[in-house]
Amino acid sequence: MTAHVQKVTATEQAAATTPQNPQGAPTVEEARAFTDAAENRLLDLMIKAGRAQWVQETFITHDTEQISADADQQVKAAVSELAAQSRRYDGMELPADVARKLKLIKLSVDIPAPQNSKESAELSQINATLQSDYGKGKWCPDGTSSGASSGAAGKCLALSDLEHIMATSRDPAELERAWAGWHAIAPPMRDRYSRMVVLANEGAREMGFADVGAMWRSNYDMKPDEFSAELDRLWEQVRPLYVSLHAYVRTQLLKKYGPNVISADGEIPAHLLGNMWAQDWANIYPLVAPPHADPGYDLSEILKAKKIEPVAMVHYGERFFISLGFAPLPQTFWERSMFVKPQDRDVVCHASAWDIDFVEDLRIKMCIEQSAEDFSTIHHELGHNFYQRAYDTQPPLFRNSANDGFHEAIGDTIALSVTPAYLKEIGLLDNVPPESSDIGLLMHKALEKVAFLPFGLMIDKWRWEVFSGKITPAEYNKRWWELRKQYQGIAPPVSRSEADFDPGAKYHVAANVPYARYFLADILQFQFHRALCREAGYKGPLNRCSIYNNKAAGARLNKMLEMGQSRPWPEALEAMTGEKKMDATAIIDYFAPLKAWLDEQNKKDGAKLDW
């Protein structure tokens, strides 16, 4: 394992980030010195900001919010300053690595700060409070403040409590109350969010981008408009599969709840789909399960029956990566990660993976429960950690994934190998279900993966329009629901207005995390899975393939991981798959048996396709 990257002194830093010959033309040597010093400066600041954010998310107080905001401001101010200085090298013919680093300097933060120090501080403060408001959010049925915590113990429900209701209740009225209760945390964020948009756009324009949305879309080795078109192309590939699933699920929910709750041919009310954001429908599997397709096991119940505690669940995930040839996680991972929700304080439970020092201080932050969903999520988060370690010898600016969709896809690629055969091999299952059970297993997976696709797309469709000014603050909620209806075929369970701010009830909006990466990951993981199964010599149905314990597949995976962001993503994709273009045919192949079955059922039921 490599040691910390050598830090430059303040004197060296100043020399390298100040033009050596202000009156003359810049040189290649000067540009390289600039990028070398700039990336070390940013590395140092990002490590400090990462530590501050870790404390803020695992121990939410006014003071930790402020500490995190201050550290975040320093990163954003440095990026703004360095981005302005980097424009001195615009138009030069530079070595590929230097040119790439200059570009990545500008793209090294998601929310760019204005150069004005007062506005920069204001932006960081807004961002910290938005994230903390989300983490502290509670719904209090007795009418007390939704932000109440210790003083309302026993009265107020946190997100985890409300998610449990959404996942398990079959009472439409109770589901509606839980849905509306959580979404009530967001309206206080609205004014701060709109102010954030103004400040962040100012920072983006100072860096040479039209707005923050254009900046985000510039992070994919193609022009912003080309990236938008690429997402639309991928969506058109998978939309027929989603439409078939939507029609079938709507019909089954109509049978369960009746026409007074859901129509036979319109949008599906968001509260009926088992998830607070209707982004993952796996929790309603019992309501839509194909007949005679029960696989005969429930992983959640197995984990509970075998008393497999959260840390032990993480060890299962680690052993998968070890079986592919990767080294075990460092001891500090086990000492510093947060695996369960503390009982004595507010934390941000949203699962995340961390690389605090960009070398070996790897961690995950989760509030793990003994569930099949969290078992899969653990594999997802560890995918981040093993990716982070694989590229830790790259220069600091290249210590990232080929594009952000790759980072999200790696762990999910591994999770696709969590098959019944794998569960039997590791001792969690006694027998592998017959192929006749595959339709049920595919249905369960589609409720997770296929149902997510339009949601993964529309979040940033909304934000890109917000940042461009196409959506004004006066239309935030209206346009949010227009897009949800357009892409997902989902409707709110209760009437909504501009007094609401439903986007803020989603973590990634409150925390300003770009979301197109998750849509890409949903496509890429199947493309990666198909390639790794091919490398492993597997010939059968994709849904039955597990690469567990296959060193050849692990070597192919590592070849791509260790590249980091040093090369354009099509080259990394080719290293993994032999293909240079993102391709949704793999997800179509994976679910082909289910698609045929869905089409047959929809025809039999006379179900309307679309909404």
Side-chain angles (χ1 to χ4, degrees), residues 520-534:
L520 294 178
D522 221 25
I523 302 291
L524 285 167
Q525 64 191 259
F526 291 92
Q527 192 171 358
F528 292 168
H529 181 63
R530 182 170 64 183
L532 293 175
C533 290
R534 187 167 57 230

Side-chain angles (χ1 to χ4, degrees), residues 558-589:
N558 189 62
K559 182 179 178 182
M560 190 274 284
L561 299 184
E562 64 187 8
M563 293 170 68
Q565 202 173 11
S566 63
R567 305 295 301 163
W569 66 260
E571 295 182 31
L573 181 64
E574 185 177 28
M576 166 86 92
T577 67
E579 302 149 356
K580 285 193 171 184
K581 193 172 186 178
M582 290 184 285
D583 181 13
T585 62
I587 193 172
I588 301 300
D589 290 348

Side-chain angles (χ1 to χ4, degrees), residues 146-196:
S146 64
S149 54
S150 58
K155 300 178 182 178
C156 300
L157 301 178
L159 177 58
S160 57
D161 304 314
L162 296 167
E163 285 187 294
H164 180 74
I165 293 172
M166 300 298 293
T168 60
S169 175
R170 300 296 182 248
D171 176 353
E174 183 181 28
L175 291 168
E176 183 179 294
R177 287 193 299 272
W179 187 95
W182 175 252
H183 284 74
I185 72 155
M189 302 180 189
R190 187 186 182 109
D191 288 345
R192 279 172 289 152
Y193 188 86
S194 62
R195 176 61 176 162
M196 179 279 299

Side-chain angles (χ1 to χ4, degrees), residues 22-76:
Q23 303 306 316
T27 66
V28 171
E29 292 74 17
E30 182 190 331
R32 185 176 292 281
F34 172 82
T35 58
D36 287 349
E39 68 181 346
N40 279 287
R41 178 183 176 191
L42 289 176
L43 177 66
D44 184 46
L45 291 172
M46 287 179 172
I47 290 171
K48 292 173 180 174
R51 295 192 192 286
Q53 188 180 3
W54 174 267
V55 174
Q56 182 236 330
E57 291 200 21
T58 59
F59 200 105
I60 300 175
T61 69
H62 170 77
D63 292 318
T64 61
E65 281 181 13
Q66 189 61 54
I67 291 167
S68 181
D70 291 345
D72 178 68
Q73 181 192 355
Q74 290 187 44
V75 173
K76 287 180 166 57

Side-chain angles (χ1 to χ4, degrees), residues 122-315:
E122 180 187 2
L123 177 62
S124 291
Q125 189 66 40
I126 288 173
N127 288 336
T129 59
L130 287 174
Q131 192 156 316
S132 288
D133 280 4
Y134 186 95
K136 292 185 293 187
K138 291 178 176 65
W139 173 51
C140 308
D142 65 0
T144 57
S145 168
S146 64
S149 54
S150 58
K155 300 178 182 178
C156 300
L157 301 178
L159 177 58
S160 57
D161 304 314
L162 296 167
E163 285 187 294
H164 180 74
I165 293 172
M166 300 298 293
T168 60
S169 175
R170 300 296 182 248
D171 176 353
E174 183 181 28
L175 291 168
E176 183 179 294
R177 287 193 299 272
W179 187 95
W182 175 252
H183 284 74
I185 72 155
M189 302 180 189
R190 187 186 182 109
D191 288 345
R192 279 172 289 152
Y193 188 86
S194 62
R195 176 61 176 162
M196 179 279 299
V197 170
V198 172
L199 294 170
N201 271 342
E202 185 179 334
R205 284 191 290 270
E206 289 173 355
M207 290 186 187
F209 299 101
D211 56 63
V212 174
M215 175 181 162
W216 286 2
R217 297 193 302 278
S218 297
N219 208 9
Y220 294 92
D221 299 304
M222 56 178 65
K223 294 178 181 177
D225 289 346
E226 292 174 348
F227 179 66
S228 299
E230 180 71 355
L231 292 190
D232 291 338
R233 179 186 69 81
L234 293 168
W235 170 237
E236 288 306 314
Q237 280 187 286
V238 296
R239 189 176 189 277
L241 175 59
Y242 177 79
V243 169
S244 292
L245 179 68
H246 181 282
Y248 172 78
V249 167
R250 180 178 55 201
T251 299
Q252 304 313 304
L253 292 177
L254 177 63
K255 293 175 183 177
K256 168 67 178 176
Y257 293 112
N260 291 333
V261 176
I262 178 173
S263 73
D265 57 4
E267 297 92 7
I268 300 174
H271 66 311
L272 300 181
L273 290 164
N275 173 269
M276 186 62 75
W277 308 276
Q279 69 181 66
D280 179 333
W281 306 350
N283 288 318
I284 63 162
Y285 176 78
L287 303 182
V288 303
H292 315 300
D294 181 5
Y297 74 92
D298 182 329
L299 181 55
S300 297
E301 292 305 314
I302 291 171
L303 293 169
K304 293 171 185 173
K306 290 182 177 290
K307 298 181 179 179
I308 298 173
E309 300 296 331
V311 174
M313 290 167 64
V314 181
H315 277 292

Side-chain angles (χ1 to χ4, degrees), residues 58-134:
T58 59
F59 200 105
I60 300 175
T61 69
H62 170 77
D63 292 318
T64 61
E65 281 181 13
Q66 189 61 54
I67 291 167
S68 181
D70 291 345
D72 178 68
Q73 181 192 355
Q74 290 187 44
V75 173
K76 287 180 166 57
V79 170
S80 178
E81 174 191 333
L82 292 168
Q85 292 173 358
S86 73
R87 301 185 79 167
R88 171 171 167 77
Y89 310 103
D90 288 353
M92 287 181 65
E93 285 193 24
L94 295 167
D97 64 324
V98 176
R100 190 165 182 78
K101 286 180 181 181
L102 287 170
K103 173 187 174 183
L104 292 175
I105 286 170
K106 298 178 182 179
L107 298 171
S108 54
V109 294
D110 293 327
I111 297 297
Q115 293 183 37
N116 178 285
S117 60
K118 183 177 179 181
E119 291 180 337
S120 175
E122 180 187 2
L123 177 62
S124 291
Q125 189 66 40
I126 288 173
N127 288 336
T129 59
L130 287 174
Q131 192 156 316
S132 288
D133 280 4
Y134 186 95

Side-chain angles (χ1 to χ4, degrees), residues 192-446:
R192 279 172 289 152
Y193 188 86
S194 62
R195 176 61 176 162
M196 179 279 299
V197 170
V198 172
L199 294 170
N201 271 342
E202 185 179 334
R205 284 191 290 270
E206 289 173 355
M207 290 186 187
F209 299 101
D211 56 63
V212 174
M215 175 181 162
W216 286 2
R217 297 193 302 278
S218 297
N219 208 9
Y220 294 92
D221 299 304
M222 56 178 65
K223 294 178 181 177
D225 289 346
E226 292 174 348
F227 179 66
S228 299
E230 180 71 355
L231 292 190
D232 291 338
R233 179 186 69 81
L234 293 168
W235 170 237
E236 288 306 314
Q237 280 187 286
V238 296
R239 189 176 189 277
L241 175 59
Y242 177 79
V243 169
S244 292
L245 179 68
H246 181 282
Y248 172 78
V249 167
R250 180 178 55 201
T251 299
Q252 304 313 304
L253 292 177
L254 177 63
K255 293 175 183 177
K256 168 67 178 176
Y257 293 112
N260 291 333
V261 176
I262 178 173
S263 73
D265 57 4
E267 297 92 7
I268 300 174
H271 66 311
L272 300 181
L273 290 164
N275 173 269
M276 186 62 75
W277 308 276
Q279 69 181 66
D280 179 333
W281 306 350
N283 288 318
I284 63 162
Y285 176 78
L287 303 182
V288 303
H292 315 300
D294 181 5
Y297 74 92
D298 182 329
L299 181 55
S300 297
E301 292 305 314
I302 291 171
L303 293 169
K304 293 171 185 173
K306 290 182 177 290
K307 298 181 179 179
I308 298 173
E309 300 296 331
V311 174
M313 290 167 64
V314 181
H315 277 292
Y316 274 106
E318 180 197 32
R319 284 195 290 271
F320 196 117
F321 285 91
I322 293 172
S323 83
L324 298 178
F326 293 91
L329 292 162
Q331 180 59 31
T332 53
F333 171 86
W334 305 101
E335 296 167 352
R336 299 171 185 172
S337 291
M338 186 185 88
F339 299 118
V340 296
K341 186 180 188 302
Q343 297 303 305
D344 61 344
R345 62 186 189 270
D346 287 320
V347 300
V348 177
C349 268
H350 183 85
S352 54
W354 300 63
D355 182 10
I356 297 291
D357 66 354
F358 291 80
V359 182
E360 60 182 5
D361 191 352
L362 306 169
R363 310 178 191 181
I364 62 170
K365 175 184 62 62
M366 289 183 65
C367 299
I368 299 173
E369 298 182 0
Q370 290 167 304
S371 70
E373 181 180 359
D374 279 7
F375 191 77
S376 178
T377 299
I378 286 165
H379 288 74
H380 171 89
E381 298 304 339
L382 292 183
H384 288 297
N385 288 147
F386 280 94
Y387 202 163
Q388 288 159 342
R389 189 166 62 180
Y391 56 58
D392 68 9
T393 58
Q394 291 283 353
L397 280 169
F398 294 157
R399 291 181 201 173
N400 207 338
S401 56
N403 71 41
D404 51 14
F406 279 61
H407 231 315
E408 300 300 332
I410 294 303
D412 279 350
T413 300
I414 299 302
L416 289 175
S417 282
V418 179
T419 61
Y422 162 70
L423 294 175
K424 182 177 186 297
E425 189 165 355
I426 63 174
L428 291 182
L429 201 60
D430 293 330
N431 298 295
V432 177
E435 287 195 24
S436 59
S437 298
D438 281 5
I439 290 297
L441 292 169
L442 284 168
M443 172 64 77
H444 197 282
K445 186 70 71 174

